[in-house]
Amino acid sequence: MYVIGITGGVGSGKSLVAKIASRKYNAGLLIADELGHVVTEPGKPAYKKIIEIYGTGILGQDGSIDRKKLADIIFSDDKARFAINSVIHPEVMLYIEDYINERKGQDGYIILETAIMYETGCDRFCDETWYVYVPEDARIKRLSENRGYTEEKSRSIIKKQKPDSFFMERAARIIDNTGSIKDLESIIAGLPGKL
C-alpha cells in the first residue's frame, strides 16, 4: 500500500486535491478533519474528554458536539485550541495508523489529507507528501466565497498556520491550485504513479 499525504493551508483546496487524487489512483481516502468528527462522536473517548473540559454547553440538541461552538472556542483562544488538539489529534493518529496497518502488504494507494501533516507527525505514515499551494490573497477570497469568512477571520487563521516555505521544504510535490478545477484535474492526471 502506497500512502500519499496531502497538506496545505486553509482555503488551499487540499480536500479537493485529495478527492481528485483518490479517484485517479482508486485509493482509500482519509481526511483528518472528517476523522476528527468520527473520533468525537458520542461514546468515543475524545467526546468524553471534550465534555470534561468544556461541559455540556458545547453540545447540540442531538447530544453531539456542536462544531461551530467548538470552532469559535479554538480559533479565539490559543490555550483552548491546544487543549482540544491534545485530545483529538492522538485519537485521529490512532485511527489513521490502524487504517494503514490493516492494509499493509496490499496493493494500491491511500490518500491522507491533513492541514497539520508535519506538526502531528502524520508524514511518518506517508511514502510521499504533496503541498497544495495557493497565494494567501486567493485563499482569503475563497474562504469568503465558500465559507462566508471575513477577511479578518481568514487572516487570523492563516497567521496561526505554518508559512508556505515550511511545507515547500518538506513536500515531494507542490500542487499549484491557483487555476480552475479543470486545471487541477489536469495537473493530477499528469502525475505518475508511485515514485
Side-chain angles (χ1 to χ4, degrees):
M1 193 58 66
Y2 193 81
V3 182
I4 298 172
I6 298 177
T7 192
V10 64
S12 65
K14 61 191 170 297
S15 295
L16 178 61
V17 170
K19 288 173 185 168
I20 293 169
S22 72
R23 287 194 304 267
K24 171 189 164 74
Y25 296 114
N26 193 27
L29 178 60
L30 297 171
I31 296 182
D33 279 352
E34 292 175 7
L35 298 179
H37 296 177
V38 170
V39 303
T40 57
E41 289 172 354
K44 303 281 182 165
Y47 174 90
K48 293 173 186 169
K49 290 175 187 170
I50 291 169
I51 302 309
E52 286 172 13
I53 296 170
Y54 293 106
T56 56
I58 194 130
L59 300 179
Q61 290 183 341
D62 64 355
S64 65
I65 293 171
D66 183 312
R67 304 283 163 217
K68 183 175 181 338
K69 288 180 185 176
L70 189 61
D72 288 346
I73 291 169
I74 65 175
F75 286 120
S76 63
D77 181 341
D78 289 341
K79 279 181 153 180
R81 187 171 59 257
F82 178 79
I84 291 293
N85 289 346
S86 69
V87 169
I88 295 174
H89 291 168
E91 296 295 330
V92 169
M93 294 287 284
L94 281 172
Y95 187 102
I96 291 167
E97 189 168 19
D98 288 347
Y99 184 95
I100 292 170
N101 285 339
E102 287 170 10
R103 290 155 182 80
K104 271 196 174 155
Q106 297 177 16
D107 287 334
Y109 291 85
I110 294 171
I111 305 295
L112 167 60
E113 182 266 300
T114 177
I116 48 178
M117 177 73 64
Y118 304 103
E119 300 91 325
T120 58
C122 278
D123 59 307
R124 76 175 188 269
F125 301 129
C126 303
D127 294 293
E128 68 176 279
T129 58
W130 300 357
Y131 177 61
V132 182
Y133 170 76
V134 176
E136 185 174 314
D137 286 342
R139 288 164 58 194
I140 289 167
K141 185 172 186 248
R142 288 180 184 179
L143 289 168
S144 171
E145 291 170 355
N146 300 334
R147 300 188 196 177
Y149 288 5
T150 64
E151 181 177 341
E152 182 182 17
K153 180 174 182 174
S154 296
R155 288 198 189 280
S156 171
I157 295 169
I158 290 169
K159 189 178 177 184
K160 290 176 172 66
Q161 296 181 329
K162 299 280 188 193
D164 293 327
S165 58
F166 172 86
F167 297 101
M168 290 177 169
E169 290 167 5
R170 291 163 175 79
R173 298 183 192 273
I174 310 300
I175 307 297
D176 185 335
N177 187 20
T178 56
S180 68
I181 291 176
K182 191 170 184 173
D183 293 336
L184 183 60
E185 288 171 339
S186 296
I187 290 167
I188 294 169
L191 295 175
K194 299 174 184 179
L195 286 176

